[in-house]
Amino acid sequence: MSTIRRKLTRLSVVSDRIGDRDAAPYLLVGPALVTVFLVTIGPMLWSLWLSFNRWKPGSLAHQEPTLNGVDNYEWLFSNDRFIDSVVNFAFYGGVGVFLQVALGTLLALALYNYVESRTLRIGLLTLFIVPMMYAPLVAGRMWQLLFLPGGGVVNGLLGVVGLPTVNWLGTRWLGLTAIMISDTWQWVGLPLLIVYGGRANLSDSLYEAAKVDGASRWMMFRRITLPQLRNLIIVAAILRFMDAYKFFDKLFIMTYGGPGTATELPTFFTYLVGFQEFNVGRAAALTWVLGLGSVLTMLLFWRYMRTVEAS
Amino acid sequence: METTNSFTPTVARLFLVVYALFAAFPLYWTLNTALKPLELINTFPPTFVPSDPTLEAFAWVVTNSRAVSSIIDSLIIATGTTVLSVVLGSMAGYAFSRYGNAVGGENVSFWLLSTRMFPPIAIVLPMFFIFGWLNLQDTHMGLILLYLTFNLPLSTWLMRDFFDKIPHSFEEAAYVDGYSRLQAFWKVVLPLVRPGLIATTMLSWVFAWNEFIFALIITGNDVEPYTTIIPTLILSNQILWGRIMAMAVIVTLPPTLILIAFRKHIIEGMTLGITEV
């Protein structure tokens, strides 16, 4: 009897310990939140204020930030270079993400369905994700070598097949395409992993029932696999699309936005305005327009991530 | 019926073989270029098997003081930021997992993760000037702090996920046995979450190791992570491909070995906990 009572009092201690009126949760979360505030949120709020100022720290005329209303934003939206970089972003983000997600999905399903040997399956999976371990900058340098107009392997192969060779990094759309190919090589593993994991979690009974009904492979793909994996595929696409807002390293090393300003993406343009011209107010306005875009994408991500986590 | 049935698998396997070649070729080419003498790098047709392999480029990397010190700088920064982000992230992740509602639950942990998604340029633009005032430009500490912007949200999110997989009843049993909260965490929860802890550590390290844009803007004289010296390996307009690729082999090896050794957990971490293979 007394042991039971002892256990019961201990149990009530337990419920106090994991109760809500308790300092521990805040002590545990506090340091992380404060750090994120100091290195991310705080500085970005300051940059929001800067975006309504004219500030060129390098020049004599505008050494101190001076308020200039929405001038920076007006400049931005009437700037052809910015508009061009947004068009490039739409192409790079739209086509690139579609390519990566489509390829990743097909590879994942082919790997799961048609490679029987487990060792081979894991081996291929590993091979497909090793490129993610490259520094993006290093991967860009590597692909620049492959795309060289003269001695590059890509043009070499085109020549062997009898196709005309092209100056890959020398024009706007070819340059963006070349960057997109190198980025696909590096990141196809991410959608692949997500879809592969999702497919492995689908129960076989769905497919067995369909087989009994005489469904073809195509039917099963269209009616079972795709609908079941839909949300996961969307999450993979959004994750890759969010990286398009950050895209910098490969562009920096492969074309430096060139020829001229032809292949600039918004992030790279911001870098040039901020750290080459030191027009900090304008660069801050740019980062906020970019940031708003990525916030909208994030809200989408959250929506789908919840459905995925719930299932 | 039988013939249509074997058509799809054949096409699928062919597709896998072709893509595997596409994926593997640049890996091979990195090594191949690193082993070639300089005059054979740009020749046409390309030399697919180095006829006259040389370790010259590797010898340059390991004897050049700038290359060596850049790798050391990257090591210091990646390791420092990993320690901080894993410690702070585990604490926060544990709280989000166990006392979710008290600290804002899903919303706050997701909000934290979302700060990772901001374009780095938006963070580094104000930070460049703030670091100027705090004398943190061109220091290891500066980059260690800045890398927390992407690593701390990641480790918090991942650790929350890993803690979520350990049933609360484990701690409750420990409390009943008279363990204090700290003891229960150290002796019961932490050993169980170790694989997740390793994955989070490794991923944080790899992301910091491979980072470029922060390093480009914040450092460059006293401190030079290896990514910042790769664009400078140029001799009067001639890109020094051999040296760059030798360096690429050396710096890509640690992350690749980490991937192979901890494949299962790295995959889980890479996909933010969505995929478990």
Side-chain angles (χ1 to χ4, degrees):
Chain A
M1 193 63 204
S2 66
T3 51
I4 292 178
R5 189 173 301 141
R6 231 182 7 248
K7 281 214 164 143
L8 277 176
T9 47
R10 274 190 191 159
L11 270 177
S12 74
V13 172
V14 170
S15 64
D16 266 0
R17 276 171 177 160
I18 51 181
D20 282 5
R21 291 158 288 123
D22 186 345
Y26 303 101
L27 291 177
L28 287 170
V29 170
L33 289 186
V34 169
T35 309
V36 168
F37 182 84
L38 288 180
V39 294
T40 307
I41 312 298
M44 283 190 61
L45 290 176
W46 182 53
S47 102
L48 179 64
W49 178 74
L50 284 179
S51 76
F52 299 106
N53 282 269
R54 182 157 178 77
W55 188 28
K56 286 188 80 170
S59 77
L60 281 176
H62 301 282
Q63 283 208 318
E64 298 298 322
T66 33
L67 279 172
N68 66 349
V70 293
D71 282 10
N72 293 328
Y73 291 92
E74 266 176 34
W75 164 81
L76 171 61
F77 286 110
S78 58
N79 187 299
D80 286 341
R81 249 175 101 181
F82 174 67
I83 308 291
D84 281 347
S85 78
V86 172
V87 173
N88 287 347
F89 172 79
F91 175 70
Y92 164 78
V95 181
V97 170
F98 177 80
L99 195 71
Q100 289 168 22
V101 173
L103 258 178
T105 304
L106 291 177
L107 286 170
L109 295 177
L111 205 56
Y112 185 84
N113 288 324
Y114 302 119
V115 180
E116 275 96 35
S117 147
R118 191 187 127 82
T119 324
L120 187 58
R121 213 163 52 215
I122 297 294
L124 282 171
L125 198 68
T126 311
L127 170 64
F128 295 153
I129 55 185
V130 162
M132 291 202 277
M133 297 293 118
Y134 269 64
L137 185 88
V138 171
R141 228 357 163 214
M142 167 76 250
W143 276 92
Q144 188 187 8
L145 176 62
L146 293 174
F147 278 121
L148 279 186
V153 173
V154 178
N155 271 352
L157 285 177
L158 288 180
V160 169
V161 194
L163 290 167
T165 58
V166 287
N167 184 4
W168 281 99
L169 299 171
T171 68
R172 182 182 186 182
W173 302 113
L174 280 175
L176 285 170
T177 307
I179 290 171
M180 199 187 286
I181 291 172
S182 60
D183 207 41
T184 301
W185 170 78
Q186 182 160 32
W187 291 106
V188 81
L190 193 76
L192 190 157
L193 287 177
I194 292 177
V195 173
Y196 185 90
R199 176 62 188 85
N201 282 339
L202 291 186
S203 97
D204 288 337
S205 60
L206 285 170
Y207 292 92
E208 275 153 22
K211 244 181 228 161
V212 171
D213 291 344
S216 66
R217 282 177 203 281
W218 171 248
M219 287 265 280
M220 288 195 263
F221 173 71
R222 274 292 282 120
R223 298 279 166 81
I224 302 175
T225 314
L226 272 191
Q228 293 281 335
L229 297 181
R230 179 175 164 269
N231 284 341
L232 270 182
I233 293 174
I234 292 174
V235 164
I238 299 175
L239 267 178
R240 286 305 302 138
F241 194 76
M242 279 194 290
D243 278 349
Y245 286 103
K246 309 188 198 168
F247 194 73
F248 183 82
D249 303 11
K250 288 197 189 75
L251 189 66
F252 180 93
I253 196 112
M254 288 175 80
T255 68
Y256 204 75
T261 61
T263 55
E264 282 176 358
L265 286 167
T267 325
F268 189 76
F269 180 50
T270 311
Y271 165 75
L272 292 183
V273 173
F275 292 101
Q276 302 280 302
E277 298 170 19
F278 273 101
N279 209 326
V280 183
R282 286 181 176 175
L286 269 163
T287 63
W288 270 90
V289 172
L290 260 182
L292 229 54
S294 71
V295 165
L296 291 178
T297 319
M298 265 181 295
L299 291 175
L300 260 185
F301 174 67
W302 194 3
R303 210 187 109 193
Y304 283 101
M305 189 73 175
R306 275 191 156 166
T307 61
V308 165
E309 288 221 316
S311 62
Chain B
M1 199 63 203
E2 277 305 301
T3 46
T4 55
N5 260 355
S6 65
F7 178 69
T8 318
T10 313
V11 172
R13 289 190 190 114
L14 196 67
F15 171 59
L16 281 173
V17 170
V18 171
Y19 194 86
L21 288 175
F22 171 75
F25 186 77
L27 306 177
Y28 171 68
W29 208 244
T30 310
L31 188 63
N32 178 319
T33 308
L35 292 173
K36 271 185 207 175
L38 196 62
E39 61 274 14
L40 285 182
I41 286 172
N42 266 337
T43 51
F44 194 83
T47 38
F48 282 96
V49 181
S51 53
D52 192 9
T54 162
L55 289 174
E56 221 175 289
F58 285 98
W60 177 84
V61 175
V62 294
T63 54
N64 182 280
S65 62
R66 191 168 169 226
V68 172
S69 74
S70 80
I71 290 175
I72 294 172
D73 282 340
S74 285
L75 257 176
I76 295 171
I77 293 163
T79 309
T81 197
T82 300
V83 170
L84 276 178
S85 75
V86 170
V87 170
L88 296 180
S90 302
M91 285 162 56
Y94 185 69
F96 281 123
S97 167
R98 291 304 192 256
Y99 314 100
N101 293 329
V103 285
E106 278 274 278
N107 290 342
V108 176
S109 60
F110 185 83
W111 171 81
L112 202 61
L113 178 70
S114 66
T115 61
R116 184 177 196 271
M117 315 290 181
F118 276 126
I121 187 83
I123 294 161
V124 74
L125 181 77
M127 280 313 248
F128 175 78
F129 297 100
I130 296 172
F131 276 8
W133 298 324
L134 300 175
N135 286 324
L136 282 170
Q137 277 179 10
D138 217 12
T139 62
H140 295 118
M141 200 52 197
L143 272 190
I144 288 174
L145 288 175
L146 214 42
Y147 285 177
L148 289 178
T149 59
F150 54 84
N151 268 343
L152 183 52
L154 177 80
S155 26
T156 306
W157 180 265
L158 290 180
M159 287 312 293
R160 184 196 73 127
D161 208 54
F162 289 121
F163 282 125
D164 272 348
K165 288 183 186 136
I166 297 163
H168 293 35
S169 54
F170 281 65
E171 284 128 294
E172 277 158 25
Y175 296 149
V176 172
D177 285 345
Y179 279 48
S180 76
R181 196 144 57 177
L182 200 62
Q183 281 173 324
F185 179 79
W186 273 107
K187 293 192 178 158
V188 179
V189 183
L190 211 56
L192 288 171
V193 86
R194 190 179 295 148
L197 205 61
I198 291 172
T200 309
T201 307
M202 295 302 166
L203 268 184
S204 299
W205 191 86
V206 170
F207 281 123
W209 177 253
N210 284 341
E211 205 280 339
F212 174 60
I213 184 170
F214 287 157
L216 170 75
I217 290 168
I218 296 294
T219 60
N221 292 313
D222 298 338
V223 176
E224 289 185 307
Y226 81 83
T227 46
T228 60
I229 79 158
I230 282 186
T232 68
L233 296 180
I234 287 175
L235 200 65
S236 61
N237 270 336
Q238 167 70 37
I239 296 173
L240 298 168
W241 295 109
R243 291 177 184 180
I244 293 174
M245 291 308 142
M247 196 136 168
V249 172
I250 292 171
V251 299
T252 312
L253 217 53
T256 307
L257 293 178
I258 285 173
L259 169 70
I260 291 169
F262 303 101
R263 191 194 67 244
K264 202 167 166 296
H265 300 293
I266 293 285
I267 286 176
E268 201 175 339
M270 274 266 165
T271 57
L272 300 174
I274 300 171
T275 296
E276 292 171 54
V277 179

